[in-house]
Amino acid sequence: MTTHAPTAPAQVDAAAALADALVDAWGSWGPNMTPDARQVAFVSDRSGVPQVYLQEVVVDGAQPAARPLRLSDDPVTAVRWAADSGWLTVEVATGGGVRTAVWVVRPDGSGARRVAGDAETHVELGPWTRSGHRFVVTFPGAAEGVPTRCYLADPATGRLDPLAEGELIHVLDVSLEERFIVVRDGGRGQQFVVVVDRLTDEALSVLPPGATGSTDVALIRPAPEDHSGPVYVYLASDVGLPRRQLIGVPFGPNGWRGEPRTLAARDDAELEFVDADDAGRLLLLVWNVAGRSELELMDTATGGRTPITGLPGLVAADPVLSRDGSSVVLGVQGPTRPRELWQVDTTTHAWTRITHSPPLPRQRLVVPRLETFTGRDGLALTGWLYRAPGHLKEPGPVALYLHGGPEAQERPAFSPQHQALAAAGITVFAPNIRGSSGFGREFVHADDLTGRYAAFADVLAAADHLVATGVADPDRIAVTGRSYGGYLTLASLAFSPGVFAAGVDVCGMSDLVTFYRDSEPWIAAAAVTKYGHPEQDRALLEDISPLASVNLVDVPLLVVHGEHDTNVPIGEAHQVVAALRALDRPVEYLELPGEGHDYRRADSRKLLTRTMLQFLSAALAGPRRP
C-alpha cells in the first residue's frame, strides 16, 4: 500500500489563510423589492454578522452603495419589505441562538422596535398581506398540547389579531383583502395545505384530501381569465405527487373550490421556488436539476414557459418577481463565487449584478464534479467531489462530508470549508444519500423510521465508491458532517468500526431519546415523521442512537457545538465527549460561543474551519493505527 507524508504545517496554514479569505468574501441574500423595483432590502454578513442592508438597484451602470439598517448586535435571519414600502419586518436570532424575534423598522431607520419574541419566546416571521398594512407572526407551540398560533400584526401599533391556530401550522400567504389565507400543517414530509375563508371560517383542502407531502411555497393571486372564482392558489408541492410540481387551484366564496391541476412539471427536476406578479399574469419558476438551478417565466394565460438563460452561477435562491412583473432579483452563488444579488429583466433577459463581494484570492478554487454511485441495495446516489489538486492521479486522504436535514441537499455552492480542505490536500466528497431533497418524494422519504439503517449503509457505499474509483486511500477516509450529518458521523463510527480513520461531528445528535427530551418542542414534534415517536418508537430510537455503542468508537473524533443550540441541544455533544473521555478515547471538543445551530458569525466559521483543518491533517497524516 502506498503511504504518504503528513500534510506539511505550511500547507495547513496556507489552507487556513485561504479559508479566512473566503469567509471574508461576504455574501448577500434574502432580497425583497419595493413596488417600483428600484430599491432592494437584503441580508449580508459583510460586517462579520448578518444584518439588514438597503440599496438602490443599479441604474445606468452606476453601482449604488448599500446602507446598513442595524437593529441590534444579534444576527438577522430574514427581512421582508411591506407591499406599500412603508415598513420592513426583520427576523432576528436572539443572542445568536435558535429562537428568533420579529422587529419592525421604517426604511429610514426610524420606528425600530421589537414586536414579538425574546430569549425565552420563539416567534417566526411570516408574509405581509398583499396590501402591505399587516404581516403574519407565528408562535410555535411551546409545549405538548399547546397549539401553534398565528397572528396578523400591525407594524404601527404592534397589535396582534388572532389569525389561525393548529398543531404545526404556517401561514404561507394572505390575499389582498385579508379574506383568504393559505395554511400548511403537519410534520416533516407529511404536510397538508388548506385555504381558509376567514369570512365564513371554512377550511378547504387545496390538494386531494388525505394526501400528504411537502409544500414550502404557496401564493394567492387573482384568477386567470379562463377560471371561475376571484382567487387562484399556486403551490410548489409534492403532496401526492412523485416530484415537486407547480399546482394551480381556483377558489371562491361560499366554500367553492375548483379542481387542482398540474401547471408545470419536469421528470428531471423539482420545482424549488415560485413567485408571481400582482396581477397573477406572470410566474417565475426556479427548478432544482440535481443541485443546479434553472429559471423559467410562465404566462398564466397561455401556459407558455420561457427559459431564462445566462444564470451567473450554478445555484439560485430567494427569487423575487417585481409586483409589475418587469424584473427579478435573486441570490446567485457557485463553488467559485460567494452569494451575490443579481437582477434580470423579464423582457430582455439581461442580467445586472446588484451586490459585489470582495475579490477572491488568486488561488484557483476547486470546481466539484458530480459523481454517481449506487447504494448497497442498488439505489442510485450522487455526490459532489472536490478533488484535492495534489491527489489528482493517486489515492489520498478524503473527508466524506454529510449535510444536515436529513432533507437538505448538497449543491455546488460556495463553501470555504470544502475549498480549504482541498487546498490542504484533503479531497472532499459530499454525497446526497437517501433522505436528501431534490430527487423526488420517494427518495426523500426512503430514510424515514426504519429506513435509517439503509441511510447508514449509504455512507459506507460512498466510502466504497471513493476507494473503488482510486480517489481515496482506504486507510485515510474521515467521516464528517453537521446536524443530521453529525449524527450520521457518530453512527458511522459506532455502528461500522474499522471503516473510517477519523470523524468530525458538528452539532449532531448522539442519542435520539435525549434529543427528543431536550430539543425545542416544535422541533421535536415535527421530527416524529422522520425519526419516530419518542414513546411509541422508543426501541427504534435507542437502537439507532450512537451513544449506546460509543465504546466502539476508537478513532480520533472532533466534536463541535454552538453554545446556544437548542435545536440539537448542546447536551448531545457533552454526553458523547464525556463518554469517550471516560473510555480514554481520542476526542477533542470545540464549543462556539454566541452561536446556535447555524454558525452565522464570521469569526466562528473561521475558527471551525481552522480547527477542522488541523484535526483532519493530523488524523489522516498516515496509516491508521491498529
Side-chain angles (χ1 to χ4, degrees), residues 342-589:
W342 286 75
Q343 182 185 45
V344 59
D345 186 290
T346 58
T347 301
T348 66
H349 296 188
W351 290 90
T352 305
R353 185 158 54 178
I354 296 174
T355 62
H356 291 254
S357 297
L360 296 177
R362 292 185 177 181
Q363 181 173 343
R364 186 175 179 180
L365 302 181
V366 176
V367 176
R369 183 177 73 236
L370 184 64
E371 298 271 307
T372 59
F373 64 106
T374 58
R376 290 187 168 182
D377 61 356
L379 182 66
L381 303 169
T382 62
W384 295 93
L385 182 67
Y386 295 74
R387 194 77 185 260
H391 298 290
L392 296 178
K393 296 183 179 180
E394 63 179 4
V398 176
L400 194 65
Y401 180 80
L402 304 166
H403 65 68
E407 307 95 327
Q409 182 186 8
E410 187 69 27
R411 307 181 70 172
F414 188 69
S415 175
Q417 178 179 296
H418 293 356
Q419 297 291 348
L421 287 170
I426 301 172
T427 291
V428 176
F429 184 54
N432 283 304
I433 64 171
R434 73 190 68 202
S436 304
S437 62
F439 304 95
R441 187 165 179 263
E442 183 177 351
F443 191 91
V444 81
H445 288 290
D447 69 337
D448 290 354
L449 303 176
T450 56
R452 195 73 46 214
Y453 297 104
F456 296 161
D458 287 348
V459 179
L460 305 182
D464 295 341
H465 171 74
L466 294 169
V467 174
T469 54
V471 172
D473 178 339
D475 282 336
R476 302 172 74 197
I477 305 175
V479 58
T480 74
R482 73 168 307 276
S483 191
Y484 174 74
Y487 159 76
L488 280 181
T489 294
L490 296 176
S492 299
L493 298 179
F495 302 148
S496 302
V499 175
F500 297 104
V504 179
D505 156 34
V506 181
C507 63
M509 305 93 78
S510 58
D511 187 325
L512 289 174
V513 174
T514 56
F515 160 74
Y516 271 112
R517 182 193 69 195
D518 300 334
S519 183
E520 299 284 5
W522 70 90
I523 293 174
V528 168
T529 53
K530 293 301 297 182
Y531 303 124
H533 191 278
E535 296 177 2
Q536 300 168 11
D537 299 304
R538 178 71 175 254
L540 171 64
L541 297 178
E542 291 176 346
D543 196 54
I544 60 176
S545 291
L547 188 64
S549 301
V550 73
N551 60 300
L552 298 178
V553 179
D554 61 354
V555 296
L557 174 67
L558 169 64
V559 177
V560 182
H561 224 90
E563 175 191 15
H564 300 310
D565 193 347
T566 55
N567 180 334
V568 175
I570 197 169
E572 296 298 303
H574 290 170
Q575 62 193 11
V576 74
V577 170
L580 288 169
R581 286 175 175 169
L583 293 167
D584 197 27
R585 300 294 163 77
V587 60
E588 299 179 23
Y589 178 55

Side-chain angles (χ1 to χ4, degrees), residues 109-179:
S110 65
R113 60 189 178 84
R114 183 167 48 83
V115 172
D118 52 36
E120 302 300 324
T121 306
H122 174 63
V123 177
E124 298 173 359
L125 175 61
W128 281 92
T129 62
R130 299 304 298 168
S131 64
H133 300 309
R134 295 198 290 178
F135 60 93
V136 177
V137 294
T138 299
F139 290 72
E144 187 174 354
V146 177
T148 296
R149 291 186 170 93
C150 300
Y151 298 84
L152 276 178
D154 186 319
T157 65
R159 173 178 166 176
L160 302 178
D161 292 322
L163 180 63
E165 72 174 49
E167 185 178 0
L168 294 167
I169 65 169
H170 284 82
V171 174
L172 301 181
D173 202 8
V174 183
S175 66
L176 180 65
E177 74 292 347
E178 301 180 7
R179 176 171 178 176

Side-chain angles (χ1 to χ4, degrees), residues 70-446:
R70 194 175 185 86
L71 301 178
S72 72
D73 293 333
D74 292 337
V76 168
T77 56
V79 59
R80 294 189 176 128
W81 213 320
D84 64 1
S85 303
W87 291 93
L88 295 160
T89 48
V90 183
E91 188 180 82
V92 176
T94 307
V98 173
R99 296 168 188 157
T100 54
V102 173
W103 291 64
V104 294
V105 62
R106 294 283 190 184
D108 64 3
S110 65
R113 60 189 178 84
R114 183 167 48 83
V115 172
D118 52 36
E120 302 300 324
T121 306
H122 174 63
V123 177
E124 298 173 359
L125 175 61
W128 281 92
T129 62
R130 299 304 298 168
S131 64
H133 300 309
R134 295 198 290 178
F135 60 93
V136 177
V137 294
T138 299
F139 290 72
E144 187 174 354
V146 177
T148 296
R149 291 186 170 93
C150 300
Y151 298 84
L152 276 178
D154 186 319
T157 65
R159 173 178 166 176
L160 302 178
D161 292 322
L163 180 63
E165 72 174 49
E167 185 178 0
L168 294 167
I169 65 169
H170 284 82
V171 174
L172 301 181
D173 202 8
V174 183
S175 66
L176 180 65
E177 74 292 347
E178 301 180 7
R179 176 171 178 176
F180 297 97
I181 59 174
V182 185
V183 179
R184 181 189 70 204
D185 201 351
R188 285 157 57 175
Q190 294 188 10
Q191 300 161 346
F192 60 94
V193 181
V194 297
V195 167
V196 177
D197 185 334
R198 298 177 64 218
L199 186 63
T200 62
D201 199 29
E202 291 178 288
L204 303 174
S205 178
V206 174
L207 296 169
T212 61
S214 297
T215 303
D216 292 331
V217 183
L219 308 170
I220 300 178
R221 293 295 188 273
E225 293 180 359
D226 62 337
H227 284 82
S228 303
V231 297
Y232 204 84
V233 175
Y234 298 95
L235 307 97
S237 179
D238 68 358
V239 173
L241 299 167
R243 284 181 177 267
R244 192 168 298 187
Q245 305 172 2
L246 178 65
I247 308 298
V249 191
F251 284 86
N254 304 316
W256 182 84
R257 188 204 77 164
E259 288 300 313
R261 64 188 181 106
T262 297
L263 303 178
R266 289 176 56 165
D267 293 333
D268 64 336
E270 289 209 306
L271 182 62
E272 191 166 18
F273 298 103
V274 59
D275 201 4
D277 63 2
D278 267 6
R281 296 191 181 96
L282 184 67
L283 301 182
L284 169 70
L285 310 180
V286 180
W287 298 94
N288 181 338
V289 188
R292 301 181 179 93
S293 298
E294 293 183 7
L295 277 63
E296 289 181 332
L297 294 172
M298 179 175 176
D299 185 321
T300 60
T302 65
R305 290 153 56 188
T306 305
I308 300 179
T309 59
L311 181 69
L314 295 179
V315 181
D318 308 317
V320 179
L321 181 61
S322 64
R323 295 174 69 92
D324 64 359
S326 64
S327 68
V328 174
V329 171
L330 73 167
V332 178
Q333 63 175 313
T336 62
R337 69 163 64 235
R339 290 185 286 183
E340 295 177 321
L341 300 184
W342 286 75
Q343 182 185 45
V344 59
D345 186 290
T346 58
T347 301
T348 66
H349 296 188
W351 290 90
T352 305
R353 185 158 54 178
I354 296 174
T355 62
H356 291 254
S357 297
L360 296 177
R362 292 185 177 181
Q363 181 173 343
R364 186 175 179 180
L365 302 181
V366 176
V367 176
R369 183 177 73 236
L370 184 64
E371 298 271 307
T372 59
F373 64 106
T374 58
R376 290 187 168 182
D377 61 356
L379 182 66
L381 303 169
T382 62
W384 295 93
L385 182 67
Y386 295 74
R387 194 77 185 260
H391 298 290
L392 296 178
K393 296 183 179 180
E394 63 179 4
V398 176
L400 194 65
Y401 180 80
L402 304 166
H403 65 68
E407 307 95 327
Q409 182 186 8
E410 187 69 27
R411 307 181 70 172
F414 188 69
S415 175
Q417 178 179 296
H418 293 356
Q419 297 291 348
L421 287 170
I426 301 172
T427 291
V428 176
F429 184 54
N432 283 304
I433 64 171
R434 73 190 68 202
S436 304
S437 62
F439 304 95
R441 187 165 179 263
E442 183 177 351
F443 191 91
V444 81
H445 288 290

